[in-house]
Amino acid sequence: MTELVKVSNLKKNFGTFTAVKSINFSVKSGEIYGFLGPNGAGKTTTIRMLTGILTPTGGKIEICGLDLLTHPLEVKSQIGVVPDEPKLYENLTGQEFLEFVGSIFSMDKNEMKKRIEELCDAFEINFLEKFIGDYSHGMKQKLMLTSVLMRRPKVIFLDEATVGLDAKSAKILKMLLRKYADEGSSIFMTTHVLEIAEKMCDRIGIINAGEIIAEGTLSDLRNESGKQSLEDIFLQLTGSTDEEVREIIQNL
Amino acid sequence: MNKLMLLIRYKLKMWSNIPLRRGKRRIPLSLYILILSGVFIGISVPLYLFTLDLFRNYSTIIFNGISLADLFVEISMIGIFVLVIVTDTPAIALNVFMSEDVDFLLSLPIKQSTIFISKNLETIIQGGFPALFVIPLLISYANATMMPWYRIIVMFLMYIIYFMIINSLSSMIALGVSKVASRSGTQRFMVFTSLIVYVLSILLMSTIGSLPNEKNLTEAFASYINTINLPFLPSTWFINAVNLRIDGILPLIITSAILVFVTYRISSSGILSGYSQMKSATKHVKRRNYNLKSPTQAFISKDLKLMRREPSILFLLIYPAIFPFFLLIGGLMRKGEGSIANALTGGILISIFISSMYTIIATASLISIEIKVGEFIKTLPVGNRTPLWSKAFVITGAFAIVMMITFFILSAFFGGLILSVITVLLSIPVLLILSFFGVYATVKWPNSIGGARRPLNTTGNFVSMGIGFLGAMIATSEGLYFSGNRILFSPVYEFLIFLVAPIVGEIIMAFVIFKLLSKIDWANPYEIENK
Ligand SMILES: Nc1ncnc2c1ncn2[C@@H]1O[C@H](COP(=O)(O)OP(=O)(O)OP(=O)(O)O)[C@@H](O)[C@H]1O
Ligand SMILES: [Mg+2]
């Protein structure tokens, strides 16, 4: 299988603070990669570097075989990004926004129409004629998802994409991502919901304080740590144990 | 009261923290106040001196018991009324009734009236600045009419009461607006109300513009008194109150008290929470058609939509269309030899001048909208420059079209079509350059809390005023040269100073601005320090 995302020695400093310390990983075609870590660990920073929003301090990012730094436009036309906090044009309607995105990616009109209709049905989107400024968080999230999924990008980055979605939409999103992965896409997602990671992700990377401290399939991680649930593994790796958490609770 | 102070203190803290977040030193509040007072004094001293003479002359002209000076004060009061209503109402609607942190504050154990007052004060501090400029005017009025000290105190008390009337009115209008409209609806509603008020203030200005017309002064004066000195206007009460007349003091105090009371009551009884939520849309998913364009066209069409829907930009676009008419009204009033032709040239030049000044701010507004979604834009497969060119193109085009239409209307009445066309064409490159400077200014001096209405911080505003002035000089000099008005005696000097020098200046400016632009990451103003 081909590696659609390949990251080597990726690093990011904000002033004197190092948010991401020289990380390495790759995501293959057909794979869903789960990126876990405590708050402030560097997940969003990593995604922002992988999608061309932030310039890395050092390291190399290859997506679909192309270097992001030297071929930003070619890479960007192949990827889709769902950010943690969708910030969109408040004075455009949902439909105008989708038209804008479709035009930028030079989509075929009929195909786009068909896919949007499918996605609208799936996510129960019936507010495309309203202005985005009046959307709720979940509605913005759905619009953003539609604008990404309608393009069927080769690589999809999602930063806590299920936050704000209702149960049914979250379920549909999970199934759609699985389907796209099975059709050959690579999916890189961060989440705090360990259950999602457990059920969906083919491989999991755990980042803490800017360093990847464990990586592998769920069974790899289980074998390594000797624990069964991902929660216990996560707590152990990020430096706290079940007992410790219990003690904290007791002292509160 | 304690909580009110707490809210205000934290707001001030947030304001003074803004530079900190960008990695700069905190501007001490005292310095900020010092700068503002400097600006205030810089404007009010000349204003005082200018109006002092005016009031001295006018106070001797009396008709029907009202002096021209009184009338002038009245007109100013109407002006400030209109101005504060226009600037404050939308600000209050967005700041008080629709702001996100109100949602948070409402969840805290703070009385709604306290939240209302603190938010209202905040809006006044931000938007009520124009009301201060009446103060030097009033002082010079007091001085010219030799008012005793107790009347001066009464006058200022009355002014505060007068201001309370205005503020309560705009709060109520804002409240009404927030009930019927959604957030984005309000912004569009603002354009509509602003336009109406704008037309009203033009009418007012044109009446002021034709002030002392020596011949039939009394006649004109009488008609003014009839149009402006109406018994139900608060401005009339104000001037009567200043003259210690009971029919001024009483209505002013009573109206103010009632309005303030009602506003306060309404705000305290649960109305503050929640603007009308978006109604849930129909269950049925409509089949629709999508229009796709080329990427560049998509950007331009999107930017056009954003511009059309951003009231503050529309506002800037109105000015170059309106000012020429002021000059023409003046020219028509004077009825002198050639004064219309002069007024026409003047009108065209002033329109170009204003367009140049405002191009920077308008582009900055549009860019600040883009910066807000900068992360999204960066994930698109378009070059870094496409969004910039598209904006510069849209704004320059908009100003050029506004000028064109204005000049066409003007030349339909007064001739001079060719001159208009030439000057517009000449000013387009300057506007384009200025527009790119607007891009640079937004990144270099962003005002992170200003939104599209105030995209630049204080430094940014000053610098762009300077650059805008330079650009305006260049554009108007070229226009002046082609208007055939000769100022210097030697045609060679005329050619050098009014054509060659501006063109050279233009080229240098373009060069410098593009150089500056290439160094910045426009989509991420807060990243600069981190590099
Ligand atoms: N623009 C920035 N300037 C300075 N520091 C930053 C910036 N962006 C992120 N950081 C810092 O980098 C670190 C990693 O942040 P990041 O947003 O990547 O965390 P995260 O793993 O996504 O956390 P969460 O789970 O809460 O989303 C944090 O310490 C944060 O303060
Ligand atoms: Mg994050």
Side-chain angles (χ1 to χ4, degrees), chain A residues 14 17 19-20 37-46 48 54 84 159-160 192 207, chain B residues 527 530:
Chain A
F14 291 112
F17 172 75
V20 174
N39 294 132
K43 301 182 295 296
T44 302
T45 307
T46 307
R48 289 169 78 207
L54 267 184
D84 51 349
D159 199 351
E160 293 170 40
H192 286 299
I207 184 171
Chain B
E527 282 291 317
N530 298 326

Side-chain angles (χ1 to χ4, degrees), chain B residues 52-62 66-70 141 144-146:
Chain B
L52 190 61
D53 255 6
L54 197 91
F55 279 127
R56 284 206 176 117
N57 294 335
Y58 283 2
S59 60
T60 52
I61 308 173
I62 296 174
I66 298 174
S67 76
L68 193 50
D70 287 2
Y141 170 71
T145 53
M146 286 176 279

